[in-house]
Structures are given as C-alpha cells and as structure tokens.
Amino acid sequence: MDLENLNKTPLYQQHVDAGGKIVDFGGWALPVQYSGILEEIDAVRNRAGLFDVSHMGEIVVGGEKALDWLQSMLTNDIGRLVDGQVMYTLMCYPDGGVVDDLLVYRFNAQKFLLVVNAANAEKDWLWLQQHCWQGIQLENTSDTTAQLALQGPEAEAILQKITDIPLDQLGFFRFVHEANVAGRSCLISRTGYTGEDGFEIYCRPDVAAPLWEAIMEAGKDKGLLPAGLGSRDTLRFEANLPLYGHEISPEISPLEAGLGFFVKLKKEADYIGKQALIAQKEAGLKRRLRGLEMLDRGIPRAEYPVYNEAGDQIGVITTGSFSPTVGKNIANALMDTSYIEEGTTVLVGVRNRRLKAKVVKLPFYKREAK
C-alpha cells in the first residue's frame, strides 16, 4: 500500500503511535483496528471507544432563504428543526435514488451545517452547487474541520471530565457550539454511528491531536480504547444504521431501505425526488430491506444472492458478518416483498453452497434507554 498518495487526517500520527493497522479507505489512510475489532466492539458496547472521523465532509449553508432551499433539497422536514438541533435526512435524485444520507445542524434560520459521507463529499458538493439558489452561500469546510467520535455508555462521564458543558442536559441529536473541551473551542453533538450513547466533536485540525490525547487520558480509568473502521462498521450494522453503497444507493430508494420515517412525502416543499417516491409508495414497493439470521453455518457477505426455497433469486445481501454482540451470523438483505415476513426461511448463496437463513426483525441490537 502506497501511503504517500493517500489523504491523512490530523490524527494520522496518533493512529500510528497507538499501533493502528492503517488501510486505504476511499483514498484515506485510516486505522481499520488497533487492539482488535472484537475487543473494540466490546469496548464501545460496554465502556467507550474513540474514533477518528475527520474524513467526513462538512458544508456550511447560509443566507436568508437557506431553510427554504434545504427544504427543496432534502427529504426530511428541516422546518421542524430548532436552533441547536440535529436531523438525519437524505438527498435524492429525481428518480428517488439516493445521492447521500447526511446530518443537518441548525445554528439559526440562516445558517446550517451539513455533514456528509466522506466518499460522497465531492459529489455532494457539486450536486448542491448545481441546484443552488441565488442568495444561498455554500462553503465547503471539510479541509478545515476535524471530527472525533466518543461512543459508548461511559462517553458522557469521560467527556464531562474535560468540559464545563452540562452533558446530562444535552439531549440526543442536540449540539452546543463553541464549547470548551480541554481548553479548546469545539462543537459537541450528541450523535453517533454505533447505536450507543455518545458524542461527535468537531474542531479545527490543529487542535485534533491534543484533543484526542486529552480524551484518551480522561478515559483511562473507564476502559476507553481507540477504535477503528472495522468495529465502526459492525457496530452500525448491528444497530441497523445504513451505509451508503450498501443499504442505500442511487439504485436503492429510502423507502426500499426502510427509511420512510425520514422521507416526508406530505411536506409542502417539492424536493428533488419527492414525486418519484410518492409514485413508488402508491404503486407498492416490490422490494424491502430485511434482516436475516443464518440457520446454517456460514457468514453472509455483501452482494451474495438470496433465494427462495424453490431456488429463484429473490434478493441480495447488502451487509453481512458475524455479530459479536448478538453472537450470530447476520445480514441485511434487499428482498422481494413476497418473502419479507418475519420467520420466512430463505437461502443465502455462500460460495458454492445455499445456506438456510430466516427473516428477523430489525435492528439486531438496540441499547437500553436510560
């Protein structure tokens, strides 16, 4: 692997010093693991893990019509946001396929932050520019923003040691701007991509390394571990959080992916893709995302085919792996709606074999509410 030609986050040296196994992740040199994927998953589920997600994209939207413009671009109802609140939403093509899924942060009615997937950051930036209204200001701040994710049941106790923000009063999907964390000005957001309680912390690139060190020091007595991409993918999968290019894509609509809650078909704004999604719903979905639990021994992987018992292909695996939290081999599958009833037996093509699996309810894992 030629590391010289890969993008590096401000925390690259921290990963190397901590023994992180560096891989090429969409052109970024990032750690897939440190101590081990299973150990890092256990830390996040039971204590806490710290992730470098500085490769994510950030775009600031400003202007008097910023809210109205975002309503015309995004599937969720951005008008329901209040200052200091975060919302999950999707951005669609005219045919209802997904450009990207993203988070929207509302500072006020004339200033918002969009946090987009790293692999889509350039594509999203061009898409937003192509559809921008006169008077809307767009600023791509990806290169001047670093992001750390502290996730797990001990995340609040750890972060509280180095900030004066009362974290017990910061609700889920809420944020505080210009918060003091270990003497540095940051944005603290109660969000994450693991299914656990936790925080995403945005800061300038030059303070990312000292911030990482301060959080690791604060978490020493709580069992905090640095965590890599491998554990992050399994954690999000167990919690049924979609991954672009797998559960959602230009060919998979939000409705097919089971994300209808975030698609407001009745909101007044005629956003891009709305009419196609209305037509798709009215016609009846021909396929839907469902969970599978393997009955035979074998690990399902993305793009493996799914068959009915007669041998006809009825779907495809979008994500699959062994789940250490559940203790089973599980998968997400996009399947013909005739076979999505819970308990239905299907067959997964694993190499040259067809192994039995059953349709199960999603998510595979859900943390207990406080």
Side-chain angles (χ1 to χ4, degrees):
M1 180 176 60
D2 185 8
L3 292 176
E4 293 300 317
N5 295 322
L6 296 178
N7 295 309
K8 297 178 180 67
T9 76
L11 294 165
Y12 176 75
Q13 194 58 48
Q14 273 63 36
H15 305 321
V16 172
D17 293 346
K21 182 182 177 183
I22 306 298
V23 299
D24 180 350
F25 182 76
W28 289 87
L30 289 168
V32 67
Q33 65 180 51
Y34 298 86
S35 51
I37 290 174
L38 296 181
E39 189 176 347
E40 291 161 28
I41 290 170
D42 178 71
V44 175
R45 289 281 181 244
N46 297 295
R47 300 177 305 281
L50 183 61
F51 300 84
D52 175 14
V53 284
S54 300
H55 59 301
M56 298 290 282
E58 291 86 15
I59 298 167
V60 175
V61 179
E64 288 186 10
K65 296 283 188 179
L67 174 57
D68 292 338
W69 178 68
L70 287 173
Q71 286 283 56
S72 77
M73 296 296 296
L74 305 173
T75 63
N76 212 334
D77 188 357
I78 311 306
R80 296 173 62 185
L81 281 174
V82 298
D83 294 357
Q85 188 176 12
V86 190
M87 179 177 278
Y88 175 79
T89 184
L90 300 107
M91 188 158 59
C92 286
Y93 292 107
D95 65 358
V98 179
V99 178
D100 203 3
D101 64 335
L102 60 144
L103 292 179
V104 182
Y105 288 68
R106 174 177 162 140
F107 293 88
N108 54 58
Q110 297 182 23
K111 183 182 178 182
F112 297 81
L113 170 67
L114 310 182
V115 180
V116 303
N117 285 298
N120 293 334
E122 186 175 345
K123 177 188 72 173
D124 291 357
W125 173 244
L126 293 173
W127 180 260
L128 292 167
Q129 286 183 311
Q130 287 168 7
H131 296 89
C132 194
W133 293 354
Q134 188 172 359
I136 299 295
Q137 293 92 45
L138 296 179
E139 182 184 4
N140 191 337
T141 59
S142 303
D143 291 341
T144 56
T145 307
Q147 186 189 156
L148 287 66
L150 177 62
Q151 301 284 294
E154 295 288 354
E156 182 183 300
I158 292 168
L159 189 58
Q160 192 64 80
K161 291 182 181 182
I162 53 174
T163 183
D164 53 6
I165 298 295
L167 298 175
D168 61 342
Q169 296 177 30
L170 184 62
F172 189 50
F173 268 57
R174 302 280 174 159
F175 72 95
V176 177
H177 187 40
E178 295 180 348
N180 184 318
V181 183
R184 281 91 181 173
S185 179
C186 304
L187 184 155
I188 301 177
S189 167
R190 197 163 206 143
T191 49
Y193 193 52
T194 63
E196 296 299 334
D197 187 21
F199 304 88
E200 292 176 313
I201 305 159
Y202 300 79
C203 63
R204 297 195 321 269
D206 61 302
V207 305
L211 196 60
W212 176 279
E213 300 294 349
I215 294 171
M216 289 302 303
E217 180 65 27
K220 271 202 309 191
D221 65 340
K222 296 290 187 181
L224 173 65
L225 290 182
L229 297 169
S231 62
R232 188 167 181 257
D233 187 51
T234 298
L235 290 159
R236 71 91 197 161
F237 164 52
E238 291 177 337
N240 194 35
L241 301 173
L243 175 63
Y244 189 85
H246 290 252
E247 284 72 39
I248 47 176
S249 74
E251 291 76 39
I252 304 173
S253 81
L255 302 182
E256 293 174 324
L259 299 172
F261 180 81
F262 308 102
V263 179
K264 306 306 183 189
L265 299 176
K266 294 183 179 179
K267 81 171 182 179
E268 188 175 344
D270 191 22
Y271 54 86
I272 298 172
K274 179 180 178 181
Q275 297 310 315
L277 292 167
I278 289 173
Q280 190 177 77
K281 185 174 182 179
E282 289 178 348
L285 295 175
K286 295 180 171 59
R287 56 182 191 168
R288 281 288 301 271
L289 194 75
R290 281 295 183 266
L292 296 180
E293 179 185 305
M294 297 303 294
L295 300 175
D296 290 335
R297 289 187 65 180
I299 298 179
R301 299 294 187 191
E303 299 185 7
Y304 283 5
V306 181
Y307 304 94
N308 62 17
E309 292 186 292
D312 304 312
Q313 185 171 349
I314 56 165
V316 65
I317 302 295
T318 59
T319 301
S321 73
F322 170 71
S323 163
T325 305
V326 178
K328 297 174 181 176
N329 293 326
I330 56 174
N332 284 333
L334 189 64
M335 304 201 313
D336 185 315
T337 50
S338 301
Y339 300 92
I340 62 174
E341 186 176 342
E342 195 174 337
T344 301
T345 299
V346 297
L347 302 171
V348 179
V350 179
R351 298 188 179 89
N352 296 320
R353 300 176 295 160
R354 294 191 180 185
L355 305 180
K356 282 187 178 182
K358 68 176 179 180
V359 178
V360 295
K361 188 177 181 181
L362 290 170
F364 300 107
Y365 166 82
K366 189 174 184 179
R367 70 182 170 93
E368 293 182 12
K370 284 187 178 179

